């Protein structure tokens, strides 16, 4: 799968309201495997935004995913590739997932 496939699948599940915690946990683990943000480096701004939105929609706060997203955005020159709406969506999705759910070190609760 490429970044667009992952984004479309997880965003589609969120829109349909189909929450599958084992699948989402496996996806989160795959996205954060290896060096921080390495897997997310190939994600387009919209694909990253849609993926983070889906995790927030499901009220899943996965610290390694959030950390990887932040590291990805902090990479030199990366922030300039994002439109304001993508950054706003990522920021609001991160905020939406945190207050209602206690973040765990490894996954959802």
């Amino acid at each position: 799968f490429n970044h667009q496939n992952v984004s479309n699948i997880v965003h589609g599940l969120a829109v349909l309201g189909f929450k599958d915690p084992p699948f989402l946990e496996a996806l989160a683990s795959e996205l954060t495997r290896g060096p921080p943000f390495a897997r997310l480096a190939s994600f387009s701004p919209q694909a990253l935004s849609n993926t983070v939105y889906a995790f927030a929609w499901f009220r899943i706060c996965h610290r390694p995913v959030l950390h990887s997203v932040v590291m990805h955005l902090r990479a030199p020159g990366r922030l300039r590739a994002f439109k304001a709406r993508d950054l706003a969506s990522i920021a609001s999705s991160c905020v939406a997932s945190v207050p209602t759910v206690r973040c765990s070190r490894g996954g959802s609760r």
Side-chain angles (χ1 to χ4, degrees), residues 44-67:
S44 69
Q46 184 176 359
L48 185 64
S49 174
N50 288 348
T51 302
V52 174
Y53 168 84
F55 277 91
W57 179 264
F58 290 128
R59 299 290 189 244
I60 293 176
C61 181
H62 192 279
R63 281 185 191 258
V65 168
L66 295 177
H67 177 74

Side-chain angles (χ1 to χ4, degrees), residues 15-81:
V15 169
L16 293 172
F18 183 78
K19 185 175 182 178
D20 184 346
F23 170 76
L24 293 168
E25 182 63 35
L27 176 62
S29 293
E30 184 62 29
L31 290 175
T32 57
R33 193 170 55 131
F37 82 85
R39 300 262 185 225
L40 298 178
S42 66
F43 276 51
S44 69
Q46 184 176 359
L48 185 64
S49 174
N50 288 348
T51 302
V52 174
Y53 168 84
F55 277 91
W57 179 264
F58 290 128
R59 299 290 189 244
I60 293 176
C61 181
H62 192 279
R63 281 185 191 258
V65 168
L66 295 177
H67 177 74
S68 292
V69 168
V70 170
M71 294 301 293
H72 176 69
L73 291 173
R74 292 180 65 196
R78 189 67 185 145
L79 199 55
R80 281 178 276 201

